[in-house]
Amino acid sequence: MIPDLFSAADADTEARRRKALLVHERLCAEYGAPFPFFSTKDPLSELVSALLSHRTRNHDSHRAYQELRARFPTWEAVRDAPTEAVQEAISACTWPEQKAPRIQAVLREISTRCNGGPCHLEFLADLPVPEARAWLEAIPGIGPKTSAAVLLFSTLRIAAMPVDSHHHRVAQRLGLIGPKVGEAAAHKLLEALLPTGWDAQQVYDHHEALMFHGQKCCYFHTPACGRCVILDQCPFGQARVR
């Protein structure tokens, strides 16, 4: 009985891997991969940018980031500034009163872990991906989405896959993850479906393609299933169409 259970689990995982690759191919073709990386920030700057972006529109988080960089010459200056000054600089984003002390606490923790000196996080490129993510996620306030964003989106260009709300929704509707799997838990499950040899560009293309599909077709409300290029792979969409 136990071998049969393992065989069924292995078969299910392999089926989901095949589906993930088929979805990847179709969506990359649909949205025009390979996609250019949108960021050229160093990893520490990408980290601060990611912290600002939580529950904030891209336009507003970009404004907050730009104002923070304009007011403070270095991240050490942000770390050591009066919290009220940092809060004022990032007022364009949501909840600046929460994000200002959080960003300063993260910067202080990084400095402490780097023996008190400035730390630019480039050393993370020398660690295996799981260790680099664990180093970041050990800092309070940094979760799997942020750690993956720092490694993939920054100039490190490390193959760690973030999962945003659009990516998560599409993956759930496709049955790549279960209906009760949250965004945080989805990172390991979805990353495990990708080929281990993929480089940063391929992982980035996968994330961007699923994100674009969530933004442009697989909407939260009234998804456009009738024009979906992966409808035949989507139990959720097929049920709606029927």
Side-chain angles (χ1 to χ4, degrees), residues 32-48:
F35 306 109
F37 280 90
F38 72 88
S39 177
T40 56
K41 297 182 182 72
D42 67 84
L44 186 56
S45 298
E46 190 64 51
L47 172 57
V48 175

Side-chain angles (χ1 to χ4, degrees), residues 45-94:
S45 298
E46 190 64 51
L47 172 57
V48 175
S49 178
L51 294 172
L52 288 170
S53 72
H54 290 175
R55 305 296 182 186
T56 302
R57 293 178 180 177
N58 289 340
H59 175 71
D60 294 333
S61 64
H62 178 71
R63 282 176 54 213
Y65 177 84
Q66 291 298 111
E67 184 62 26
L68 193 62
R69 294 311 314 253
R71 294 199 189 188
F72 300 98
T74 65
W75 293 124
E76 289 76 32
V78 173
R79 177 195 65 196
D80 300 333
T83 301
E84 295 77 11
V86 176
Q87 181 178 326
E88 182 182 350
I90 64 171
S91 60
C93 72
T94 56

Side-chain angles (χ1 to χ4, degrees), residues 23 43 67 79 126 167 177 195:
V23 165
E67 184 62 26
R79 177 195 65 196
D126 299 326
H167 187 158
I177 52 175

Side-chain angles (χ1 to χ4, degrees), residues 158-179:
I158 293 173
M161 188 175 69
V163 178
D164 72 353
S165 58
H166 300 291
H167 187 158
H168 179 260
R169 179 173 67 255
V170 173
Q172 239 173 12
R173 289 174 175 175
L174 286 167
L176 295 176
I177 52 175

Side-chain angles (χ1 to χ4, degrees), residues 6 8 10-11 14 30 51 53 55 79-80 111 132 144 152 158 166 168 178 181-182 194-195 220 226-229 242:
F6 277 115
D10 291 343
E14 186 55 35
E30 176 73 6
L51 294 172
S53 72
R55 305 296 182 186
R79 177 195 65 196
D80 300 333
S111 294
L152 182 64
I158 293 173
H166 300 291
H168 179 260
V181 175
L194 304 183
F220 182 79
R227 58 177 175 83
C228 177
V229 297
R242 284 197 298 268

Side-chain angles (χ1 to χ4, degrees), residues 116-214:
C119 184
H120 300 292
L121 300 183
E122 276 80 1
F123 74 91
L124 293 174
D126 299 326
L127 302 178
V129 176
E131 290 184 26
R133 295 190 70 163
W135 194 96
L136 288 166
E137 291 173 31
I139 299 172
I142 299 180
K145 179 181 174 183
T146 300
S147 74
V150 170
L151 298 178
L152 182 64
F153 297 159
S154 78
T155 51
L156 292 176
R157 302 289 191 251
I158 293 173
M161 188 175 69
V163 178
D164 72 353
S165 58
H166 300 291
H167 187 158
H168 179 260
R169 179 173 67 255
V170 173
Q172 239 173 12
R173 289 174 175 175
L174 286 167
L176 295 176
I177 52 175
K180 295 184 179 180
V181 175
E183 281 185 39
H187 283 76
K188 286 186 179 179
L189 296 174
L190 291 174
E191 196 166 51
L193 300 180
L194 304 183
T196 55
W198 270 14
D199 61 21
Q201 181 67 62
Q202 290 168 302
V203 172
Y204 184 71
D205 287 345
H206 186 77
H207 165 69
E208 293 288 288
L210 269 76
M211 182 187 72
F212 285 144
H213 195 60

